[in-house]
């Protein structure tokens, strides 16, 4: 009875739930849809779920109310208001993409209303209802109003036309193969998955736009992108493209891409007109400019605002957006240069431009000032920019967090970032409030996650890494949600309602980031990875490179002094953070080595020295990883065999690699200092 596909549908798998049939049959026997055919697709989603999972085959009525029976009523608010006066008050409760699910009495019949102002809202409402049914929730008296808090909820794919994915750990691209655009059953299923978690925008190609990918904005690709966009639009998702800032040179035959050169602006305007002919629902461009060898306005002595606004103007009449990345720093640093601090770069580049960007330009900012390390302080541009739309960029793909071989659930970290109080306008200026538009009067904000998806059978390589994708959607819809709640919901949707499964997997997910942090580079150190691919330990892998990522360990101390006495990075924060971070005594210990250069014998609050703490954390980290594995083993027999084995296999590798991390890092510290572990555990001399 359940639906069978050649890949697993994650939280949206329509498994056999006929055990709930009796509970729901009375509600779903009749479904009334108001309006034309535009709601066929969400209706089909509901019908498919009811049929496949619950074995309920509802009778469908279009624009006809059924008398004397209970029914489900689906329609836009504008339609619902015509027949049901009381729903006028729904108007004030909803934002553009929100929905209402409510069971009420109409003429003595129980009616389950699913309504929204927009098409997107209806789609989200249907998927939300399906979630509730999958979890067996009681819907007799359901009364839900749900509005997304953030306007932009986007996925960024770093996919290349040849099918490879930069920092991808789950197979090949689902969008591209051999320089062609792929459209198949899976395309639609991906749109469904994203829509079901409220995502409303997808950038399909890598921000590093290389020679072949420059051509994505030419008719040879635009036709297919138009087809792709239709599929995604049906699920409320706009397609965006990453572009190369020098496209006027590569494609237009111009000898410049100077944003203030009229010919360049005219070329882009014509290009945008052409794109919208093929892709009427097009969302806009994502731009990595003047960053890691990608061209940008600096090449012509212009600012990021000059570049972004010129493009913004071309998109304006179509309602399109420019998303401009703040990941700009000197990637050709000399390691001998101790004056340049990469952590300061984003703020230094963008703070002076605050207020200079057009309304349809959004600056996209990585969560920390460096590059998605296991822990970094929150980027001071949050709270620093007061007149600029902003998107928080998170990395769902686990580049520095175990590459989907290690279990590393990121929701706990993201939640801390969202809850961080920038104090930009005094207490309460949290990152999430800025993104909601509550701190500064800017509404075009949101979250972007670098996708962890590929064409693996489970989409994400590690089955449990699906939780990261799900959580990204949940938090970008509602950053206030408790993370334990998100985790529980994901487990129930994916694995069912077995108490032990929920308990053990919750434990595994919620403790995994801490464990990973402990056995890799805790206390804010970061970066001790192998260069290039970024997997596995290499304490000096980046020490003498050009990337600006140094810890400068010697025999006495480790870490960079970023205080006001050092590089001055702490001064980019508002008080009280500036003072808290500046002082080694008050700096949160989890970020100690990010902000300070610390002698190995420095005593932490526990009374233990830095070096002893480092040894201890590494031993603890491995023990915690072992505990996580144990929790999985306890679930043998409770989880489908294939998934159980796949995850176990990765957990086995994780333990082995966690030990490698522990031993390499501890040995490095021991060899640097000659200080033995107080507890006499094995450290390789
Ligand atoms: C897409 C890091 C990654 C790069 C990535 C870059 C970025 O440097 O290692 O692979 O490029 O960030 O975010 O642009």
């Amino acid at each position: 009875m359940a639906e069978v596909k050649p890949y697993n549908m994650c939280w949206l798998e329509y498994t056999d739930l006929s055990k709930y049939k009796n509970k729901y049959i009375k509600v779903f026997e009749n479904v009334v849809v108001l309006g034309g055919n535009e709601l066929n697709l969400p209706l089909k989603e509901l019908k498919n779920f009811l049929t496949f999972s619950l074995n309920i085959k509802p009778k469908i009525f279009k624009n006809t109310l059924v008398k004397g029976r209970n029914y489900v009523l689906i329609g836009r608010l504008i339609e619902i208001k015509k027949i049901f006066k009381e729903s006028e008050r729904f108007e004030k409760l909803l934002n553009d993409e929100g929905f209402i699910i409510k069971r009420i009495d109409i003429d003595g019949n129980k009616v389950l209303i699913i309504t929204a102002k927009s098409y997107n809202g209806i789609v989200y409402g249907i998927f939300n209802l399906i979630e509730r049914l999958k979890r067996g929730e009681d819907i007799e008296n359901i009364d839900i109003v749900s509005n997304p808090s953030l306007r932009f909820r986007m996925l960024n794919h770093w996919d290349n036309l040849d099918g490879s994915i930069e920092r991808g750990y789950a197979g090949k691209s689902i969008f591209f193969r051999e320089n062609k655009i792929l459209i198949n059953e899976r395309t639609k299923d991906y749109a469904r998955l994203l829509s079901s978690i409220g995502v409303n925008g997808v950038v399909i190609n890598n921000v590093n736009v290389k020679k072949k990918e420059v051509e994505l904005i030419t008719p040879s690709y635009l036709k297919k992108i138009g087809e792709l966009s239709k599929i995604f639009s049906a699920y409320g998702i706009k397609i965006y493209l990453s572009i190369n800032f020098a496209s006027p040179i590569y494609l237009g035959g111009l000898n410049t891409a100077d944003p203030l050169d009229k010919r360049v602006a005219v070329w882009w305007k014509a290009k945008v007109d052409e794109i919208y002919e093929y892709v009427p629902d097009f969302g806009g461009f994502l731009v990595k400019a003047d960053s890691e060898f990608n061209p940008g306005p600096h090449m012509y002595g212009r600012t990021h605002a000059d570049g972004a606004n010129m493009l913004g103007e071309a998109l304006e009449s179509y309602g399109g957006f420019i998303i401009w990345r703040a990941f700009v720093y000197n990637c050709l640093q000399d390691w001998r240069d101790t004056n340049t601090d990469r952590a300061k770069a984003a703020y230094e580049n963008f703070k002076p431009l605050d207020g200079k960007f057009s309304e349809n330009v959004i600056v996209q900012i990585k969560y920390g000032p460096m590059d998605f390390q296991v822990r970094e302080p929150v980027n001071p541009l949050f709270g620093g920019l007061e007149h600029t739309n902003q998107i928080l960029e998170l990395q769902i793909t686990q580049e520095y967090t175990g590459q989907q071989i290690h279990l590393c659930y990121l929701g706990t970290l993201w939640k801390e970032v969202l809850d961080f109080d920038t104090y930009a306008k005094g207490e309460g200026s949290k990152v999430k409030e800025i993104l909601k538009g509550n701190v500064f009067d800017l509404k075009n904000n949101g979250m972007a996650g670098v996708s962890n998806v590929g064409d693996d059978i489970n989409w994400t390589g590690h089955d449990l890494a699906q939780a990261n994708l799900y959580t990204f959607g949940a938090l970008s819809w509602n950053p206030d949600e408790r993370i334990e709640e998100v985790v529980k919901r994901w487990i129930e949707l994916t694995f069912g309602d077995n108490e032990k499964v929920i308990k053990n997997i919750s434990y595994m997910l919620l403790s995994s980031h801490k464990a990973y942090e402990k056995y890799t580079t805790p206390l804010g150190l970061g970066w001790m990875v192998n260069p290039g691919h970024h997997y596995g330990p290499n304490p000096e892998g980046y020490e003498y490179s050009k990337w600006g990522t140094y810890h400068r360990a010697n025999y006495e101390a480790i870490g960079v002094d970023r205080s006001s006495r050092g590089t001055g990075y702490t001064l980019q924060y508002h008080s009280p953070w500036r003072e808290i971070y500046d002082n080694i005594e008050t700096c949160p210990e989890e970020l100690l080595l990010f902000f300070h250069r610390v002698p190995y014998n420095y005593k932490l609050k526990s009374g233990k020295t830095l070096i002893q703490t480092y040894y201890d954390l590494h031993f603890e980290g491995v023990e915690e990883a072992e505990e996580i594995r144990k929790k999985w083993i306890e679930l043998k027999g409770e989880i489908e065999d294939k998934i159980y084995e796949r995850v176990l296999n990765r957990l086995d590798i994780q333990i082995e690699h966690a030990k490698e991390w522990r031993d390499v890092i501890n040995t490095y510290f021991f060899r640097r200092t000659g200080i033995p572990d107080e507890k006499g555990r094995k450290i390789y001399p």
Side-chain angles (χ1 to χ4, degrees):
M1 218 228 339
E3 205 183 15
V4 181
K5 295 196 184 253
Y7 38 84
N8 139 339
M9 272 307 285
C10 309
W11 53 88
L12 212 56
E13 184 104 25
Y14 291 167
T15 45
D16 181 2
L17 292 172
S18 38
K19 63 179 178 185
Y20 297 139
K21 182 173 178 170
N22 287 343
K23 180 172 178 153
Y24 294 132
I25 186 120
K26 288 260 147 41
V27 180
F28 289 100
E29 267 169 334
N30 308 294
V31 174
V32 175
V33 184
L34 299 182
N37 288 335
E38 72 274 10
L39 296 186
N40 282 357
L41 185 129
L43 173 66
K44 192 164 162 229
E45 280 296 333
L46 181 63
K47 249 172 59 183
N48 281 352
F49 172 74
L50 293 174
T51 318
F52 287 130
S53 277
L54 297 177
N55 196 16
I56 296 174
K57 296 189 182 70
K59 283 200 199 82
I60 309 292
F61 302 85
K62 290 230 167 144
N63 297 313
T64 331
L65 295 189
V66 280
K67 295 254 159 65
R69 280 176 282 176
N70 294 340
Y71 58 96
V72 177
L73 179 61
I74 305 173
R76 284 193 211 202
L77 189 52
I78 198 160
E79 303 290 339
I80 303 268
K81 279 198 299 196
K82 287 183 200 156
I83 56 147
F84 170 48
K85 259 271 171 239
E86 206 198 308
S87 63
E88 271 168 20
R89 69 191 173 82
F90 292 174
E91 188 79 39
K92 284 199 289 296
L93 302 175
L94 288 168
N95 71 17
D96 282 353
E97 292 183 290
F99 60 84
I100 285 177
I101 309 176
K102 189 174 169 62
R103 197 137 188 264
I104 53 163
D105 234 87
I106 303 183
D107 304 333
N109 299 313
K110 289 272 195 187
V111 179
L112 177 69
I113 296 185
I114 302 149
T115 189
K117 285 183 183 167
S118 64
Y119 174 77
N120 280 18
I122 300 273
V123 177
Y124 298 140
I126 293 286
F127 277 125
N128 187 275
L129 178 64
I130 291 173
E131 262 201 23
R132 291 170 194 279
L133 301 177
K134 275 197 82 172
R135 299 171 69 208
E137 205 177 297
D138 217 339
I139 58 160
E140 269 295 298
N141 300 307
I142 192 168
D143 189 357
I144 305 286
V145 181
S146 184
N147 289 299
S149 306
L150 311 185
R151 170 149 185 209
F152 289 84
R153 307 177 301 277
M154 311 205 31
L155 275 221
N156 289 185
H157 279 256
W158 287 355
D159 296 18
N160 303 314
L161 262 169
D162 63 4
S164 63
I165 304 177
E166 184 157 344
R167 314 305 177 190
Y169 311 105
K172 282 193 176 308
S173 170
I174 54 165
F175 287 123
F176 307 119
R177 194 63 39 86
E178 291 165 5
N179 293 333
K180 292 205 176 71
I181 291 175
L182 269 184
I183 296 184
N184 52 34
E185 189 61 19
R186 198 159 182 164
T187 317
K188 187 173 137 210
D189 276 332
Y190 187 50
R192 295 174 61 225
L193 276 173
L194 294 190
S195 181
S196 74
I197 52 174
V199 166
N200 63 2
V202 179
V203 185
I204 59 172
N205 66 309
N206 190 353
V207 286
N208 291 322
V209 183
K210 288 169 241 147
K211 217 156 168 209
K212 192 67 195 161
E213 286 78 10
V214 172
E215 292 173 26
L216 277 168
I217 52 172
T218 63
S220 50
Y221 285 108
L222 286 173
K223 194 161 171 276
K224 272 270 182 181
I225 293 174
E227 278 175 45
L228 198 64
S229 170
K230 258 200 203 130
I231 296 170
F232 277 79
S233 287
Y235 285 96
I237 300 166
K238 281 188 191 280
I239 295 288
Y240 294 70
L241 291 172
S242 296
I243 50 153
N244 186 309
F245 195 75
S247 298
I249 301 176
Y250 293 125
L251 299 175
L254 299 186
N255 59 2
T256 179
D258 180 353
L260 299 192
D261 187 312
K262 254 230 130 75
R263 291 169 302 158
V264 171
V266 167
W267 186 85
W268 275 113
K269 180 76 187 98
K271 180 48 72 185
V272 166
D273 291 343
E274 184 177 57
I275 294 174
Y276 277 92
E277 260 172 48
Y278 287 95
V279 196
D281 261 339
F282 186 60
F285 297 140
L286 173 63
V287 194
K288 174 175 178 176
D290 294 314
S291 166
E292 298 185 334
F293 313 109
N294 288 270
H298 284 181
M299 289 166 62
Y300 305 95
R302 312 299 185 195
T303 69
H304 288 286
D306 293 332
N309 294 346
M310 178 272 296
L311 291 168
E313 204 179 317
L315 286 153
E316 200 190 342
S317 61
Y318 296 101
F321 282 85
I322 291 295
I323 304 170
W324 192 273
R325 293 177 89 225
F327 185 58
V328 178
Y329 67 98
N330 174 11
C331 63
L332 291 171
Q333 194 179 328
D334 185 336
W335 60 271
R336 300 166 191 87
D337 164 14
T338 51
N339 293 322
T340 308
D341 179 5
R342 171 167 164 181
K344 289 167 70 181
Y347 188 95
E348 282 175 345
N349 274 288
F350 284 86
K351 174 70 181 168
L353 299 175
D354 193 17
K356 299 212 163 77
F357 291 100
S358 306
E359 241 171 70
N360 67 336
V361 172
I362 311 174
V363 173
Q364 181 164 306
I365 308 164
K366 288 192 182 185
Y367 96 79
M370 297 295 273
D371 191 12
F372 299 133
Q373 296 306 290
V374 65
R375 186 174 300 277
E376 297 183 30
V378 168
N379 198 316
L381 277 175
F382 293 109
L385 296 180
E386 302 186 1
H387 311 285
T388 305
N389 300 310
Q390 41 207 287
I391 284 179
L392 165 67
E393 183 176 318
L394 301 170
Q395 203 180 34
I396 312 173
T397 193
Q398 293 172 234
E399 176 179 1
Y400 294 100
T401 50
Q403 306 197 350
Q404 279 130 264
I405 291 171
H406 296 238
L407 174 64
C408 186
Y409 174 67
L410 295 164
T412 39
L413 172 73
W414 298 339
K415 192 70 184 154
E416 287 179 44
V417 172
L418 288 161
D419 284 341
F420 178 75
D421 198 338
T422 67
Y423 282 88
K425 281 198 161 178
E427 204 179 335
S429 313
K430 294 186 177 178
V431 171
K432 65 184 179 190
E433 299 304 329
I434 293 174
L435 299 181
K436 287 181 202 168
N438 293 341
V439 179
F440 310 116
D441 194 21
L442 296 160
K443 299 289 178 214
N444 291 330
N445 308 309
M447 275 164 61
V450 181
S451 163
N452 62 348
V453 160
D455 71 351
D456 275 1
I457 191 167
N458 58 8
W459 304 81
T460 55
H462 199 309
D463 288 82
L464 302 187
Q466 291 172 0
N468 282 329
L469 181 59
Y470 181 86
T471 300
F472 173 81
L475 291 181
S476 54
W477 185 277
N478 177 12
D480 292 312
E481 207 180 347
R482 282 183 60 242
I483 205 67
E484 294 76 7
E485 204 33 61
V486 178
V487 161
K488 179 162 183 274
R489 203 166 65 234
W490 174 77
I491 299 169
E492 286 175 357
L493 292 169
T494 310
F495 295 108
D497 57 2
N498 178 324
E499 280 302 320
K500 188 166 161 197
V501 170
I502 295 170
K503 191 160 155 255
N504 283 23
I505 301 182
S506 289
Y507 174 89
M508 294 171 70
L509 295 180
L510 293 170
S511 57
S512 59
H513 177 262
K514 261 258 139 38
Y516 184 84
E517 184 179 17
K518 285 183 181 180
Y519 64 71
T520 58
T521 51
L523 309 184
L525 190 58
W527 289 112
M528 287 188 162
V529 286
N530 281 304
H533 59 74
H534 297 166
Y535 188 81
N538 188 339
E540 302 215 322
Y542 273 105
E543 211 39 33
Y544 305 101
S545 72
K546 55 189 182 326
W547 299 97
T549 50
Y550 318 112
H551 54 69
R552 303 193 188 280
N554 66 9
Y555 67 100
E556 276 177 330
I558 187 167
V560 175
D561 181 2
R562 294 194 162 102
S563 75
S564 53
R565 298 161 303 282
T567 70
Y569 167 68
T570 51
L571 301 175
Q572 294 182 347
Y573 288 90
H574 292 279
S575 290
W577 286 117
R578 151 191 305 212
E579 293 78 20
I580 292 173
Y581 289 146
D582 211 56
N583 181 346
I584 192 169
E585 298 289 324
T586 53
C587 179
E589 287 186 342
E590 61 189 12
L591 288 168
L592 191 65
L593 298 177
F594 193 94
F595 283 103
H596 295 279
R597 180 159 185 80
V598 185
Y600 299 110
N601 58 9
Y602 176 81
K603 288 242 167 76
L604 274 70
K605 294 193 185 75
S606 61
K608 287 195 284 193
T609 59
L610 170 67
I611 184 111
Q612 190 56 42
T613 306
Y614 231 67
Y615 292 148
D616 286 353
L617 289 174
H618 281 80
F619 284 107
E620 272 169 43
V622 172
E623 281 159 23
E624 284 170 22
E626 280 167 339
E627 190 60 31
I628 286 170
R629 182 176 171 279
K630 233 194 256 157
K631 294 282 181 221
W632 187 252
I633 289 183
E634 283 173 18
L635 299 181
K636 191 167 170 59
E638 316 276 359
I639 303 268
E640 198 186 311
D641 282 351
K642 264 195 244 151
I643 297 177
Y644 176 82
E645 290 302 331
R646 269 204 306 256
V647 171
L648 182 59
N649 180 266
R650 293 201 181 216
L651 290 169
D652 287 343
I653 303 172
Q654 178 171 5
I655 301 294
E656 197 187 316
H657 292 185
K659 287 180 180 162
E660 179 72 2
W661 266 102
R662 176 195 67 194
D663 293 340
V664 171
I665 302 294
N666 282 350
T667 292
Y668 178 74
F669 275 77
F670 177 65
R671 288 186 184 166
R672 272 277 181 207
T673 63
I675 304 172
D677 171 35
E678 277 171 5
K679 297 178 187 155
R681 291 162 294 194
K682 180 84 186 159
I683 292 183
Y684 297 80

